[in-house]
Amino acid sequence: MLAEAGIVLTRAERENVEIADFGLGRLEEIGLQIVVYVNTDRVCAKELVLFPNQHCPEHRHPPVAGEPGKEETFRVRRGTVHLHVAGAGDILLGPGDQYTIPPDTLHSFEAGDEGAIVSEFSTTSRDALDVFTDSRIIRVPS
Amino acid sequence: MLAEAGIVLTRAERENVEIADFGLGRLEEIGLQIVVYVNTDRVCAKELVLFPNQHCPEHRHPPVAGEPGKEETFRVRRGTVHLHVAGAGDILLGPGDQYTIPPDTLHSFEAGDEGAIVSEFSTTSRDALDVFTDSRIIRVPS
């Protein structure tokens, strides 16, 4: 999907795509494929790839060490994304559309029928600290 | 160039591309075309477009208000970029390659013969505070 969209990865990136199934074992329905470009102690950038109708379950990024929690902007590159943000409702994003999710705010999202590619621009990612509403979820399974 | 690379912009973005000639009036040689996707008080993301052999002159992003200055990662999407970073030397970047420039570090860059598209992931941009080595340069002309 990334190659079709003209997004070039290095070999190391292609061999290290993160496959997140949230410990549920139902990847095609509930999951996310992630390429992390950079994640420093200040800035993070990723490409998120979603299969058709694949869903990322509701979660929030809590405050850490006196900082307000991860702030993330989702910019849709291909496909459509249905984004749900607590206090803001349902937001439909197509190619070129973007939305900034404030820190510590519950959100979930799923791709439309054609799947989606989303660029994520954010503060530091500390995925293991994400708080999911569904307590069965393990963000970073061992 | 962005359309050819499959990068979709909104109409508002297409109508608000920043044309930076640094006050020198020699845009095709010395300049930069910039689409700012997001610039909050924590995170910034842009696409930089460079014409063939176009050059962005040496500058640094100084500390601001107790913070260490802008940290930026350049990720090349199309074309080649010759990046020069004080203390690190000359770095040649092709599609899929990237480099993170530490805060307050002198750097300059230019595109190869085919021009280039570069995604920039960074902390907050405060362009008017950039310090250029060439004192004739005005980053944000009035």
Side-chain angles (χ1 to χ4, degrees):
Chain A
M1 288 175 69
L2 290 166
E4 262 177 40
I7 295 172
V8 179
L9 301 184
T10 62
R11 180 171 173 165
E13 288 167 341
R14 285 197 303 274
E15 292 175 350
N16 286 287
V17 175
E18 179 187 353
I19 309 296
D21 80 345
F22 304 107
L24 299 176
R26 296 161 59 196
L27 180 69
E28 297 204 10
E29 296 158 75
I30 306 175
L32 209 53
Q33 296 66 232
I34 306 168
V35 178
V36 179
Y37 289 146
V38 60
N39 188 24
T40 73
D41 60 1
R42 301 174 76 192
V43 172
C44 180
K46 305 177 179 181
E47 304 289 358
L48 312 179
V49 180
L50 292 107
F51 301 142
N53 306 120
Q54 200 181 25
H55 173 73
C56 177
E58 189 180 70
H59 65 285
R60 61 186 171 83
H61 307 288
V64 181
E67 285 185 26
K70 186 185 181 202
E71 172 198 291
E72 52 191 24
T73 296
F74 287 166
R75 182 179 179 89
V76 174
R77 302 294 193 165
R78 291 290 185 279
T80 58
V81 170
H82 302 263
L83 175 64
H84 316 279
V85 178
D90 293 343
I91 302 143
L92 178 64
L93 302 172
D97 295 332
Q98 63 182 43
Y99 192 86
T100 299
I101 301 160
D104 205 22
T105 302
L106 283 170
H107 59 286
S108 63
F109 51 98
E110 62 259 336
D113 291 343
E114 302 185 356
I117 297 174
V118 179
S119 295
E120 181 186 310
F121 314 124
S122 74
T123 56
T124 307
S125 280
R126 297 178 177 92
D127 298 332
L129 302 183
D130 293 351
V131 179
F132 284 82
T133 303
D134 180 345
S135 61
R136 292 168 302 176
I137 286 177
I138 307 166
R139 172 63 184 84
V140 184
S142 57
Chain B
M1 288 173 70
L2 289 166
E4 263 177 40
I7 294 173
V8 179
L9 302 183
T10 61
R11 182 172 172 164
E13 288 167 340
R14 285 196 303 274
E15 292 174 350
N16 286 287
V17 174
E18 179 187 354
I19 309 295
D21 80 344
F22 304 106
L24 299 176
R26 296 161 59 195
L27 180 69
E28 297 205 11
E29 295 157 78
I30 305 175
L32 209 52
Q33 296 65 233
I34 305 168
V35 178
V36 179
Y37 290 145
V38 60
N39 188 23
T40 74
D41 61 2
R42 301 175 76 193
V43 173
C44 180
K46 305 177 177 181
E47 302 291 357
L48 312 178
V49 181
L50 291 108
F51 301 141
N53 306 120
Q54 200 181 24
H55 174 73
C56 177
E58 188 180 72
H59 65 286
R60 60 185 171 84
H61 308 288
V64 181
E67 285 186 27
K70 185 187 182 202
E71 172 198 292
E72 52 191 23
T73 296
F74 288 166
R75 184 179 179 89
V76 174
R77 302 295 195 164
R78 290 290 185 279
T80 57
V81 170
H82 302 263
L83 175 64
H84 316 278
V85 178
D90 293 343
I91 301 142
L92 179 64
L93 301 172
D97 294 332
Q98 63 181 43
Y99 192 87
T100 299
I101 301 159
D104 204 22
T105 302
L106 283 170
H107 59 286
S108 63
F109 52 97
E110 63 260 336
D113 292 343
E114 301 185 356
I117 297 175
V118 179
S119 295
E120 181 187 311
F121 314 123
S122 75
T123 57
T124 308
S125 279
R126 298 180 177 91
D127 299 332
L129 302 183
D130 292 351
V131 179
F132 283 83
T133 304
D134 180 345
S135 61
R136 294 169 301 176
I137 286 176
I138 306 165
R139 173 62 184 86
V140 185
S142 57

